Amino acid sequence: MSKLWGGRFTKQTNHLVDEYTASIGFDQALAEEDIQGSLAHVTMLGKCGILPLEDVEKIKEGLNTVLGKIRDGEIEFSVSDEDIHMNIEKNLIQEIGPVGGKLHTGRSRNDQVATDMHLYLRKRVVELTGMLHTLQHALVTQARDNLDTIVPGYTHLQRAQPILFAHHLMAYVSMFQRDIERLMDSYKRINVLPLGAGALAGTTFPIDRHYVAEQLQFDRVYENSLDAVSDRDFIVEFLSHASIIMMHLSRLSEELVLWSSTEFGFVELDDAFCTGSSIMPQKKNPDVPELVRGKTGRVYGNLIGLLTVLKSLPLAYNKDMQEDKEGMFDTVATLEGALQLFAPMITTMKVNKGRMRDAVNKDFSNATDIADFLVGKGLPFRQAHEVIGKTVLYCIQNSKYLLDLSMDEFKQFSPLFDDSIYGVLQPETVVDARNVYGGTATDQVVNAIKRGEVLLNMTEQWLGEHE
Ligand code: ARG
C-alpha cells in the first residue's frame, strides 16, 4: 500500500526523506494512547451520526485487534508510514479493509498527536508522583529512626551548628513535597483535550468534543483550536518540574557521595546499591548517586532543547514540534530510573550514628550557643560574638574544644561565664535549644515528622483519585 496521503504526489518519496522525517522509531511508545484516543473518537463519530454504527463497531474491533498485535510484538512498524498514527491506521485498514479509512473523519494528525501526548503525560505524572511519595516515605522512616542522631549541620560545607540527622532528612521531604505539588498542579493543564481542533481550525463535521473528553476522562477541552494543536507548554512545564526534581535528587546524591566517603563515614550505602572497581579490590563506589547527579544534565538539556524548538514557532502545527518527543521520553525514563533506585537505597542505607556524634564532639558548632548564653547575661550580641571568637581562637591554638575549657579559662574571656555553661554546650542542649517551629529541636522534628505523615496521606488520597 502506498502513502496514506499519496494522492497529490506524482513521485515516490526519497527514502532518505522518509527516514529523516519519520518519528516511528520513538513515537511507537504512544501506541496505547493513540488507540485509546481513536476508540473514543470513533465512538463519538457513531454517537453524532457521522459514521454508521456498524462501521464504528468494525473499526473498534479492528483497533483492538491491532492493539493486541502491537502488544504481542506482531506488528512491524514501517518508516515509510512515518509515525505511530499512520502505522496504526495502515494496519487497521489491512485488518478490516477500506472501512478503516473512515476512522480519520473529522480529525487530523495534529490534534491526534497532541491528544496522545496529553494522555501519555497524564499517566506519567501520576506514576512519578507515586514514586516521589515512596521516596518521601523512605526518608520519613529514616528520620524517625534518627531522632536521636546528632550530626554537624553545615554552611559553606564548614561545620556550623549541630542538628538532628532526622531534621536534615526532613528537609528533603519538604523539597520532594514541593515537587509533588508542582506535578499535581501541572495535571490540571495536562488534563485538557485537544482533539476536535482538526488540523488547526476545527472541523466541518458535527462532532462532540465534550463527549470525547468525557470518555477519555479529560476535565476540559481546549478553548481555541489553534492553541490546541500548537500548545506544548504542558511538556515544557513537565520538563521544568522534572529538572527541579533532578536538581533535588542531585543535591541528595552529592551528600550521599560525601557522607559515604571514608573522610565523613556518616553513612554506608548497602552493597546491593554500590559497585566495585575493576582494578582496586578495596573500592565500593556510590555509582548510583553519582550517575543521578550526572544524569541531571540531560534532563536540563531536554528542557532547554524543547524551549528552543518552540521559540519563535509560528502558529499552528509545524513539523519542528515532532522534536517534543524524545526529550520527554528520555526525561521520563531518567526520572523513573533514578526514583526507582533512590527509595530502596535510602531505606537500606546504614547510618553511622557514632561517627556523626564524634564529628559533633570535635567541632565548634556549639559556639553560637555560648554567644547566646552571654547575650542572656546581658551582653550585646556583637560583643558576645567577639568574645567567643577569641575563645575559639584560644581553643584552636591550644588544641582544645569548648567543652575542654576550665572555668578559669572561660573567665579569661568574660566574667559572665559560670558553671551552667557546660550544660549549655552539650550537643543535645544545643539541638533542643532551637525550639522554634521548623527548627531542629527534637520536639519540633517529631512534629515535623507528624506533619510529613499527614502530607503522605494526602498524596496517597490524590493518587487513589487519579489512578
Ligand atoms: N509525527 C508527527 C509529530 O509527532 C505527527 C503530526 C504530524 N502532522 C503533520 N501534519 N505532519 O508531530
Side-chain angles (χ1 to χ4, degrees), residues 123-134 136 180 183-184 187 455-467:
K123 234 187 272 170
R124 300 290 101 77
V125 158
V126 175
E127 246 167 51
L128 286 164
T129 302
M131 296 177 98
L132 283 166
H133 175 263
T134 305
Q136 279 185 319
I180 284 178
L183 288 180
M184 286 175 173
Y187 189 95
L455 292 171
L456 283 173
N457 286 338
M458 282 166 63
T459 304
E460 241 161 73
Q461 197 183 327
W462 186 89
L463 287 168
E465 289 160 7
H466 291 82
E467 259 162 358

Side-chain angles (χ1 to χ4, degrees), residues 12-29:
Q12 292 272 310
T13 320
N14 181 312
H15 73 97
L16 289 175
V17 171
D18 271 343
E19 269 157 41
Y20 191 68
T21 57
S23 53
I24 186 63
F26 46 88
D27 67 11
Q28 47 185 278

Side-chain angles (χ1 to χ4, degrees), residues 77-95:
F77 295 118
S78 129
V79 161
S80 81
D81 291 324
E82 191 180 327
D83 56 25
I84 188 62
H85 325 292
M86 290 201 293
N87 268 275
I88 287 175
E89 196 178 325
K90 196 78 159 286
N91 274 279
L92 175 71
I93 294 168
Q94 265 162 17
E95 205 61 53

Side-chain angles (χ1 to χ4, degrees), residues 354-418:
R355 276 289 296 213
M356 290 183 178
R357 183 53 196 240
D358 286 349
V360 171
N361 287 343
K362 294 197 178 63
D363 72 13
F364 293 97
S365 64
N366 44 6
T368 316
D369 291 68
I370 343 182
D372 291 351
F373 173 85
L374 294 179
V375 170
K377 301 272 174 195
L379 199 66
F381 181 76
R382 270 302 141 222
Q383 281 180 41
H385 189 287
E386 175 77 16
V387 167
I388 307 311
K390 294 228 162 72
T391 316
V392 167
L393 184 61
Y394 171 85
C395 286
I396 294 169
Q397 285 166 346
N398 292 278
S399 306
K400 291 183 172 190
Y401 294 101
L402 290 164
L403 271 169
D404 302 332
L405 297 183
S406 67
M407 190 40 56
D408 285 346
E409 285 173 303
F410 271 122
K411 293 265 194 209
Q412 266 172 236
F413 298 98
S414 168
L416 296 171
F417 282 118
D418 60 47

Side-chain angles (χ1 to χ4, degrees), residues 2-41:
S2 62
K3 295 263 195 259
L4 288 172
W5 42 252
R8 183 231 178 274
F9 287 76
T10 54
K11 276 190 184 174
Q12 292 272 310
T13 320
N14 181 312
H15 73 97
L16 289 175
V17 171
D18 271 343
E19 269 157 41
Y20 191 68
T21 57
S23 53
I24 186 63
F26 46 88
D27 67 11
Q28 47 185 278
L30 295 172
E32 301 265 339
E33 286 78 10
D34 198 68
I35 290 179
Q36 192 188 354
S38 288
L39 286 169
H41 175 70

Side-chain angles (χ1 to χ4, degrees), residues 23 27 82-83 85 109-110 113 317 319 321-322 325:
S23 53
D27 67 11
E82 191 180 327
D83 56 25
H85 325 292
R109 265 188 301 155
N110 298 347
V113 69
Y317 178 84
K319 184 74 171 178
M321 287 158 73
Q322 183 168 288
K325 289 177 195 61

